[in-house]
Amino acid sequence: MSGSGDAFQVVTRKKWMARKCLSRRNRHKSESDYLNDCPDVNVDHFESRLERLCTEMSQSDYFILSMETLQQQLDALKRPLERIVCLGLGPFTRTHQALHQAAFILSTQRQHNIKEALYYDPVFRDTEKELIQRLKGTVMTEDCAGRHEATVPTLYYLPHCPYALMHNLLWCNWASESLPNVLLISNSFEMLALNRTQNSDDHITRIVKHCTEVALEDDYEQHNVFNDLSLHTFPSDKLPAEDDTAFWKRCLPLKVHEDELRTELISEDLAALSIGS
């Protein structure tokens, strides 16, 4: 009898140790592992889900107020929005935050009847690329690392992206005739500049006092989706004169590390995004 009891205890402890090791591995599992392990979605079903979310987004106070803010800046520019470029959106079929951000920019695309909407993120799966194409977007094939020229009034949507992407976007448009075409939704330049060292010299720290920044008040019903985002514009009358060579001298572009492009992910976020719903 005692022999069978000892055997039972040994087997139980082995199972407990296995569960403990598995739990430890899961806690330290990298973000890329989580994303890679997510099952692929049914594109037809997910398209319907995304369409429903876009409808809800377009009726939300956050979206309505954001569109009013954008329109005010377009009125000041006296030109309509002609293009949207979305960089670093994230794996929107696999994370809750990126899904709602996708609904926002797709709804913006429709609100302004944009014919040219470009998207790029190295983490996009084929199913995510197909969804973008179905919703009248174009997936760029080349990683421009933020270096995209605004030849027409362009809304750049870079939600919670690396500093280097925003810097490189300014670098590419660092001219008095190009910067006014840039309308940028990203992390607040004012807050980013405060976090730089006092002697930092790059395009964000230079432009911060010459741009118009309007915070997009985060009253969205889902938390931690649109926090700390602002609309930045660069009106001609706020830019330094063209003979200000110190200001207009270009800095070097910054290198964007691939791991910085991935949206921050926590296990709760994965739980919140029910792929099957």
Side-chain angles (χ1 to χ4, degrees):
M1 187 74 174
S2 63
S4 61
D6 290 343
F8 176 78
Q9 290 176 1
V10 170
V11 171
T12 302
R13 179 163 179 79
K14 284 181 179 179
K15 288 182 178 179
W16 176 81
M17 287 296 292
R19 286 197 299 269
K20 185 176 181 180
C21 291
L22 180 61
S23 176
R24 185 181 298 115
R25 286 199 299 271
N26 286 340
R27 284 200 305 271
H28 291 88
K29 205 172 187 180
S30 71
E31 176 191 323
S32 60
D33 288 335
Y34 275 120
L35 295 178
N36 290 333
D37 288 348
C38 284
D40 227 339
V41 298
N42 179 294
V43 174
D44 291 329
H45 293 168
F46 204 91
E47 182 181 7
S48 298
R49 182 185 179 187
L50 188 51
E51 288 283 8
R52 291 195 301 271
L53 186 56
C54 285
T55 299
E56 295 172 7
M57 176 65 68
S58 64
Q59 297 169 354
S60 69
D61 289 343
Y62 176 80
F63 181 81
I64 292 170
L65 291 174
S66 296
M67 291 303 100
E68 289 177 357
T69 300
L70 177 59
Q71 190 58 54
Q72 288 170 0
Q73 299 305 314
L74 289 169
D75 290 344
L77 185 60
K78 298 180 181 178
R79 295 178 65 188
L81 190 65
E82 296 187 39
R83 181 195 292 148
I84 284 176
V85 176
C86 179
L87 304 176
L89 177 63
F92 60 90
T93 65
R94 291 166 280 163
T95 73
H96 178 75
Q97 185 186 52
L99 173 62
H100 286 263
Q101 291 168 351
F104 176 89
I105 197 60
L106 288 168
S107 298
T108 303
Q109 181 180 328
R110 294 171 179 180
Q111 175 89 0
H112 288 269
N113 195 27
I114 299 300
K115 304 300 183 186
E116 185 181 9
L118 308 177
Y119 294 79
Y120 183 81
D121 195 312
V123 304
F124 283 158
R125 283 180 172 174
D126 288 342
T127 48
E128 289 162 337
K129 294 176 182 178
E130 182 178 348
L131 283 161
I132 289 171
Q133 291 164 350
R134 286 191 181 195
L135 297 169
K136 300 182 179 179
T138 299
V139 179
M140 293 188 287
T141 57
E142 184 179 353
D143 183 0
C144 62
R147 289 170 285 191
H148 188 279
E149 187 177 359
T151 55
V152 296
T154 304
L155 175 64
Y156 291 92
Y157 191 57
L158 280 67
H160 305 133
C161 282
Y163 192 93
L165 273 184
M166 295 172 280
H167 172 275
N168 291 349
L169 174 62
L170 295 176
W171 175 88
C172 190
N173 292 283
W174 201 247
S176 58
E177 64 272 15
S178 298
L179 277 175
N181 283 331
V182 175
L183 300 98
L184 170 63
I185 294 179
S186 68
N187 286 88
S188 164
F189 277 12
E190 290 184 1
M191 296 303 297
L192 290 171
L194 285 175
N195 292 327
R196 304 295 283 182
T197 59
Q198 189 171 1
N199 296 323
S200 290
D201 181 30
D202 58 49
H203 291 310
I204 292 177
T205 56
R206 279 193 212 171
I207 201 66
V208 67
K209 62 182 180 182
H210 300 289
C211 77
T212 298
E213 176 176 330
V214 183
L216 301 179
E217 185 176 351
D218 182 17
D219 60 354
Y220 191 59
E221 60 184 15
Q222 301 289 332
H223 298 299
N224 298 322
V225 174
F226 300 114
N227 53 301
D228 191 36
L229 293 179
S230 293
L231 172 64
H232 306 83
T233 55
F234 311 93
S236 297
D237 58 2
K238 292 188 69 173
L239 297 176
E242 291 187 13
D243 60 1
D244 187 342
T245 55
F247 177 85
W248 290 112
K249 181 181 179 182
R250 279 187 174 182
C251 304
L252 292 174
L254 300 178
K255 184 175 181 180
V256 182
H257 299 291
E258 184 177 342
D259 58 346
E260 287 182 313
L261 283 168
R262 301 193 181 105
T263 306
E264 288 186 6
L265 182 67
I266 55 174
S267 56
E268 287 84 357
D269 192 24
L270 280 171
L273 181 60
S274 175
I275 301 297
S277 62

